[in-house]
Amino acid sequence: MAMAAHGTPPSLPLFPLAHPLVLFPASRITVPISKDSGRALISLIQDSPGQPLIAAVPILHPPADKSGVIQDAAGGATVLNEWGCAAQVIRLVRPSALQPAQPYLLTLQGVARIRLEPPLPSLESLDAVDFTFHPVVYPTVKGVPAPEHVEAFKVSGVRLLDRMSKDSGPGQGVGKRDALRRLRDTLEDVADDRAHVLADTLVSLINGEFADKLDLLSAVDPSSRLQKAAAIFTKQASISEVSSKITAAVHENMSKQQKEYFLRQQLAAIQRELSNLHRGPSSKRIGGSTGDDRPSELDDDEAHEAEDMADIRRKIEAMDVGSEERKTGVREWRRLKRIPQGSVEHGVIRNYLEWLTEVPWSQSTSSTSVEKLKDRAFLRNARAQLDSDHFGLEKVKRRLIEYLAVVRLKAMAAALQAQHDEEEAKATSMALVKKGDADVPVAPVILKSPKRQKRIVNKGPILLFVGPPGVGKTSLGQSVARALNRPFQRISLGGVRDEAEIRGHRRTYVASGPGLIVQALRRAGRSDLVLLLDEIDKIGQSNFHGDPSAALLEVLDPEQNHSFNDHYINVPVDLSQVLFICTSNSLETISAPLLDRCEIIHLSGYTYDEKMHIARRFLLPKQLSANGLDSDRLDLTEPALLQVATRYTREAGVRSLERAIGAVVRAKAVEWADHADEQTESEYRPEVRPEDLEHMLGIARWDDEERNREERRGIVYGLVVMGQGEGGILPVETIATPGTGQLKLTGSLGEVIRESGEIALSWVKTHAYALCVTSLPSQDPLKVPDPIDIHVHLPSGAQKKDGPSAGITMVCALVSLLTGATVPTHIAMTGEVTLRGRITPVGGIKEKVLGAHRARITKVILPSGNRKDVEHDVAREVRNDMEFVFVSTLQEALTAAFGPEGLEWRRREMMVESRL
C-alpha cells in the first residue's frame, strides 16, 4: 500500500454510512443526515478551500433500537469497517421551511478506495456525526486482470442484466430497459484494464448482500475484484430466476383467486338486488338497511366461509407432527371434505374442528411469563401486587408468596434443564460428526428432535380459599394471575349438577359441546392460565346425571390431569400447566377425596380497623368513580365511617359495607346535583357526619341489639359460626316454668347441640349442692322446693344450629337461672363440656373471636386447648382490644363468667369431681 497521486489528503473527515449502505468508487448515493450533522458538514465545506473529500465508511451492525444507538456483538460501541470510499460532496439539501422536521439530504460521489489507519474509531450514535478527521491510506492498483477472469465477469454480468431486463414489467416503462441495454453494451465493449472499475459500478446498482459488498470493497487487486463481482452476479441471477418462478406461480394462483372473488362479488350483488326487489319499504327499515350501498358484515357468506375453512386448515397444519390432536384433526378434515356442505353432519364436524383447533395444545408457556419469573424483583413485585389489591390477610399473603416462589423456582429449573438438554444434544451431534478419519468428509448428522416437548408436571398444591362471602377469595386469585402475568379465568361451580358440564357431552348427542374446563382454555388462549374454581362447595351431589364432584378429581390431580379426557374433544388435554385455585364458604359439603387434593387456607374476615382502611383505600374511591362524584364533593368523616361499619353492617366481609358507602355517595351525589341545578353550589356541604347517616341509610340496624343486651338472669352469650362462615354471638336464653323436672330445647337445634344441653343439665344437677342451689346433695334442683321445667331457647329459630361448642354457654345459663347470678353482657364464651366438667377445644376460633370483636365483646372465655389458635390466628390489634380467659374446667369457667364473688360455693365440695 502507498499514497495515491499527489493532492489526496492523508486524513479525511469520517462519515458513517447507515447499515446496510455501501458506497463504491464511480457510484453515487443520497442519504439523509440529522440536522446537527448537516450543520457540521456545512461548516466543513465553508472551511475547505475547495470541494472537500470525506471518508464514507460502512457500519458493520445496524442500530439496536430506534434511538440510533448502535452496538457490536459484544455490546460495546460500534467499530466502523476497515475499508471505505473517499467521496465528494455533490449536493446538500436543507429541509424546507414548511417541513422543518425533515432531515438534510446528502449526495455523495465515490472517488477512490481508502483504508482506515488503526486504531479504528468507535461510534456511539448516527445522530452525533461530527466529521472527525482520521488518517487514511489510498491503495495502489497494479496490473491487468487475467483474460479468463474478465470473460467470466462479462458473462455473469450480461446474464444478470438480461434477467433484470426481463423482470422489469411493462408498468415500469421502457426507460429502465433501455438503461439496462446500454449498460449491457458498455459491459461487452469495456477494455480489460477498465473492467474492474465497471465492476464497482454494476455491484452498486444491484440489491446484493451486505457482506458481499463489503468483501468487494476490500478487494484491491483487479483479478480478485472481478472474481468476487462475478460470484455476486451469478448469485443474484440465480435468486432472480427462482424469484421469477415463484412470482409466476403465485400470480397464476392469485389470478384464479381474483377471478373467483370477482364472480362471488357479482353473485352477491345479484342476490342483494333480488332481495331488494322482493323487500317492501317497511321490511327494509326493519331489516336494518341504512339506505345506502354500504356492505354489511352479514353479506358475502361464501367468502367468509372460505376464509374460516382456510383458517381451520392453517391451525391443523400448525399442530405438532404426529400428535394425537393433529391426527384427529386431519382425519376429521378429510371427513369434512367428503360430506356435502348442506348436510347436518357437515355442521357437526365443522363445529368440532373449530373447538379442536382453538384449544391451546402447545406445552410451552408464554415467553413474557418466563421472563417475568426470571426477574429478580418477581417476589418483591408480587408482594406489592398483593398489598395493593388487599389490606390485611397477612397469613394468606405469606402463603401465596410461598406458592409463587415455588412456581418461580420450578419454572427456572425447567428452563435450565431445557437449555442443558439442548446443549447436550448439540455436543452429541458434533461428536458424531467428528468421529472417523479427519481427511474423509463426513456428512453432518442431524439428531431428530422429539415430537413433543418434554412435559413438565405441575405438582404444586391446589389452593382452597375458605371463608365467608366478601373477604376477597376471588380477587386473591386475580392477584396471583397478575403477579404471574398469566391469563385468568373463572368457573362458577355453584349449581352445577351434571358431570357433562365438567367433562363435556359426547358428540353423539344433539347440540353437544365441550365442558367448562376446555371452554376456559379456549377463552384464555394459553395452556398456563390461572383457573379459579369458584363456589366449589355448592356443586351438585351425585344423581342420575353423574357426580360432578367426582369429575373434578381428575382435574385437580397432578398425576392425572396431564391427560384430561373431555368427552367432546375426545383427545387428551394437558392441564398440568394450569394453576388451579378453588374457593368455598364452608367445608362440610365438599367430598373427602376432593378435599384431600386441596390445601386449605382460611380467610376468616376483617376487623373494624381493617374495614376502615379498606373503605378509605378501596371502597370509597370505587364508589366515587362509579357514581360520578369527585373526592372534593364528599368528605366522609372517621366517626361517620366507623358508625357505618359498626351500626349498619356486621359481617365478615365488606360487601355490605361497600353497599352502605355507595348509598352515602349516591345521597351526596343527588344533593350536589340539586345544588348545581339551582346554582347554589356555595351552600353545598360535602362533609358527612354521624348524625347525617340516619337520613341517608335509615335507622341503624344494630342499635336495638346493643340496647337490649342487658344483664338478665338465665341469659348468657355464646360464640357461634354462621352458615356462611361468619362469626358472631348468640344468646342462650333459659326460663323456669312449673312442671315435672323436664328439659325443653328449642331453636332448630341439631342432635349434637341437644346432647350438649342434656350434659349441661346433668352437670348442674350433680353440682347443685356445691353451688348452694339445694340444701342436700341428694335433692333434684328441678323438683325441690317446687317441681319446675327448664326451657332453653336459642334465638333465630329459622337457622339450623348444631355442634358441641355451646356446652359451656348452656352450663352458665342454667347456673345463672338456678342461682340468680347474672353474667355481664360484655362476656361471651365457647367450648365443649364433658360429664366430668372438663372443657375441650372447639373449632372456628378465629371466626368466633372476630365476630365477638364486631359485637363489642371485651372478654372471651375459651378452652385452654385453643390458646394456640388465638395466638397464631387472631390479629394483634384484636388481642389488644379483648381479654381472653382460657379455662380447663367448668369451675374455672364459672369463676371467669360470674366473677370470683359472683357464686357462692360450698368449699368442701368444690374440689370433688366424679370419676368413672
Side-chain angles (χ1 to χ4, degrees), residues 646-659:
T646 56
R647 300 299 184 186
Y648 290 89
T649 64
R650 185 164 294 175
E651 57 173 351
V654 292
R655 286 181 181 168
S656 297
L657 178 60
E658 182 178 4
R659 286 191 288 266

Side-chain angles (χ1 to χ4, degrees), residues 415-457:
L416 290 176
Q417 183 64 32
Q419 183 180 1
H420 175 72
D421 294 343
E422 183 179 357
E423 294 176 354
E424 185 177 355
K426 289 182 180 180
T428 305
S429 176
M430 294 299 296
L432 291 175
V433 171
K434 293 180 180 180
K435 187 176 181 181
D437 192 356
D439 297 332
V440 180
V442 181
V445 179
I446 301 176
L447 295 179
K448 294 184 178 181
S449 59
K451 294 182 180 180
R452 277 184 175 269
Q453 187 178 356
K454 184 178 179 182
R455 182 174 58 85
I456 304 172
V457 179

